[in-house]
Amino acid sequence: MARDLAATAARGSAIMLTGQGMRIALQFVGVVALARLLTPHDYGLIAIVVVLIGVGEIFRDFGLSSAAVRAPELSRAQSANLFWINSAIGVVLAGLLCLGARPLASFLGQPEVVGIACAMSLILVLNGITTQYRALVVRALRFRRLAGVDVAASALALAIALLGALAGWGYWALVAQQIMQALIVLVGVVVAVGRPPGLPRRGVPMGSFLRFGGNLVLSQVITYATGNVDTAVVGAVHGASPLGLYNRAYQVVVTPLAQIQSPITQVAVPILSKIQEDRPRFSAYLVRGQFALGYPISLGLAVVVVGAEPLTGLLLGEQWMAAVPLLQLFALAGIARNLAFVGYWVYVVRGLSGSLFRYSLVTGGIKVLCIVIGAHWGVVGVAAGFAIAPWIAWPISLAWLNRVTDVPVRSLYAGALRIIVVAGVSAGVSGAALATLPALPDLLEILSCAAIALLTAAALSLLPPLRRDARALWETVGLLRRHRARTTVKTSDRETLDA
């Protein structure tokens, strides 16, 4: 059973990461193409509404997708009730967004926001219907199907956006992309589940789901609000065009990071939930999860720091070169945010949503303070505040978590420090090496930077502590290559999914 579960975790991670890698590749294609067809002002208008959609998405989900995935048992009646709750919340929030569109546009002095907000409110309705269907697919560990749906939705939505941009739709091309992606995902997960949700029923025990979701949504609201205070500050103080510049840099660095973390979380939460009573195994999986996230992502972000200028020229074009320092700062922020991310898995798996809320208040306050101080130095100052905050919050995260549950804090701290050293040394060596080379085309410079960083990391892995980390990573890769056994799904989960 332990070997089957390890194989499932490894295979699920591989499938979801492969799918997410394809989505990130599609996103970069979109960034490169659309940045040359649309303006920073177009992106700024969409970014204003996307922030509001993001707030709505937190309330629309209400933590109930995580509650459904982590529940030891989930009856069909409970699943149906959760479906109707999420769907109703989505409809209500869509109506509120439409009602608030005109006052928002007046406040910002951007009349185009009215139409954009009303059109994009449909996303809240579609995602509300999608929520529990997607949770059932995740709960049943059907990662291949989910990855296929996500990739197809991204590809088709991007095609629509490109056609619209070429036809001169302007920012409406981006609106169409967002709506179509939500619609295609909905169709995909409904087909995957293959049955209607059923009517809502009284007398079904729902209290544990709602309590967990209520606490979780509070922490998510705090995290999202503080996570987007930088966007609000830039948009309110500097206007749509600087916000578009800021948003593009954010999309190049931070959004792909979140897109990598999301599928790994979809695999990690159900797997860790199944072994949470076996503390040695739970701790071992958690540490290995930190390595799997930390080393490759931190090395990638280190390359972004060193190669931000050619990366900006290659992806966005010369008219976006003012985004170079923003990319570097976002990459530095991403390293710290990623190191703290495994703690989120523990909060969810252990059901510690109340503790997560209180922790989010503290770290959110740190972020707001850093960004408000940084705002005195313009858009780059806001990005600097955004970058500094997670480096202050990361050491707090594991200490805070250790106060409320048993986690291998010493191993996680030590592992994170090794990851930081490897990323820092690799960045320093690649930066020094590139400084001695003649001018290269942007693509060659980026590839050279990445190659030097990887070679440096490989050399560092010969040191004894890092050799053990490399061995753990290699064993994880071995699981991906060796184990092809069929995913084991609990009978109750199959009944919930297929009944």
Side-chain angles (χ1 to χ4, degrees), residues 319-386:
Q319 70 272 26
W320 294 84
M321 294 307 292
V324 169
L326 304 181
L327 261 69
Q328 293 173 318
L329 290 167
F330 288 148
L332 290 172
I335 294 173
R337 285 159 62 102
N338 190 56
L339 292 175
F341 194 74
V342 292
Y344 176 76
W345 300 346
V346 180
Y347 283 114
V348 173
V349 170
R350 299 288 197 202
L352 301 170
S353 51
S355 297
L356 178 59
F357 170 64
R358 290 185 289 275
Y359 165 72
S360 299
L361 283 175
V362 173
T363 56
I366 293 171
K367 181 178 290 184
V368 170
L369 180 62
C370 290
I371 288 172
V372 170
I373 293 173
H376 293 287
W377 289 272
V379 176
V380 174
V382 172
F386 181 92

Side-chain angles (χ1 to χ4, degrees), residues 360-443:
S360 299
L361 283 175
V362 173
T363 56
I366 293 171
K367 181 178 290 184
V368 170
L369 180 62
C370 290
I371 288 172
V372 170
I373 293 173
H376 293 287
W377 289 272
V379 176
V380 174
V382 172
F386 181 92
I388 292 170
W391 286 100
I392 298 174
W394 164 68
I396 299 173
S397 63
L398 294 178
W400 187 287
L401 187 61
N402 193 48
R403 293 174 59 248
V404 295
T405 190
D406 181 32
V407 289
V409 174
R410 183 173 297 179
S411 296
L412 291 172
Y413 272 133
L417 288 174
R418 293 195 296 273
I419 291 168
I420 292 169
V421 168
V422 170
V425 172
S426 299
V429 171
S430 59
L434 287 179
T436 65
L437 295 176
L440 297 171
D442 289 342
L443 180 58

